[in-house]
Amino acid sequence: QLENMPNTELTQDAAALLGDGQAAQDAGKITAARRMLTAAVARGNDDPHTAVTASIAALKLEQPELALELATAGSKEFPRSAALHRIRGMASYRLGRYADAETSLRESLNLDNSQALSYFLLGSAQNRLGKTEEGKRNLREAARLDARYARRK
């Protein structure tokens, strides 16, 4: 994908590409944003923040496939990043790939079990998979960690 980009983008560092990608996103230029965010992750192999930020930007663009692609690329470089595994789980969930979401979210929680969002998403994916007891248990844990995830009556 990098070979199809103009030379100006090839010379930018990850931070500049990330900034330009987010600006393109804000301007509604989805194709340009996709290209720059992908390039940013390819260049940002010294810090997981680039892949996390780019993946979240893709989710905000309603591009879960791109978010999954970016988070997966980042998690190969940074396999101990709970955030990247959580984003992979979120993107998989949005794509209806609940088993993949469950796997990614379990990995995220193995790395950092303090994230209520991961428990909430895991419980939601498990419910979709018919694993209602496990799902309920994880939804309760999400609510215990963060009251925003408590069921409202």
Side-chain angles (χ1 to χ4, degrees):
Q1 294 175 355
L2 286 174
E3 63 273 2
N4 294 329
M5 289 191 297
N7 289 337
T8 56
E9 288 179 15
L10 288 175
T11 61
Q12 289 182 308
D13 66 8
L17 285 164
L18 189 57
D20 288 350
Q22 290 175 311
Q25 171 189 336
D26 293 343
K29 298 178 180 178
I30 306 304
T31 302
R34 178 183 191 93
R35 187 177 67 240
M36 288 181 246
L37 294 173
T38 299
V41 171
R43 296 213 174 226
N45 58 3
D46 60 340
D47 180 4
H49 174 76
T50 301
V52 168
T53 303
S55 300
I56 290 170
L59 284 173
K60 289 179 181 176
L61 283 170
E62 298 297 326
Q63 299 289 319
E65 287 181 22
L66 176 59
L68 181 59
E69 179 184 317
L70 297 173
T72 298
S75 66
K76 287 179 183 170
E77 288 290 323
F78 304 100
R80 308 255 336 131
S81 171
L84 286 169
H85 290 288
R86 183 172 45 257
I87 294 166
R88 287 180 63 212
M90 188 179 309
S92 294
Y93 185 90
R94 285 194 184 177
L95 290 166
R97 299 176 189 164
Y98 304 118
D100 292 343
E102 181 182 30
T103 300
S104 294
L105 292 163
R106 283 186 187 280
E107 183 61 27
S108 176
L109 287 166
N110 283 337
L111 296 167
D112 179 0
N113 66 359
S114 68
Q115 295 297 314
L117 177 57
S118 292
Y119 282 105
F120 177 80
L121 292 168
L122 177 58
S124 298
Q126 289 169 326
N127 282 339
R128 294 286 184 139
L129 292 168
K131 300 177 180 181
T132 54
E133 288 308 310
E134 287 178 80
K136 286 179 188 176
R137 197 168 34 255
N138 284 306
L139 291 172
R140 281 193 302 271
E141 183 62 12
R144 186 188 72 74
L145 290 170
D146 187 331
R148 292 178 294 175
Y149 296 103
R151 288 190 173 208
R152 290 174 174 72
K153 298 181 181 187

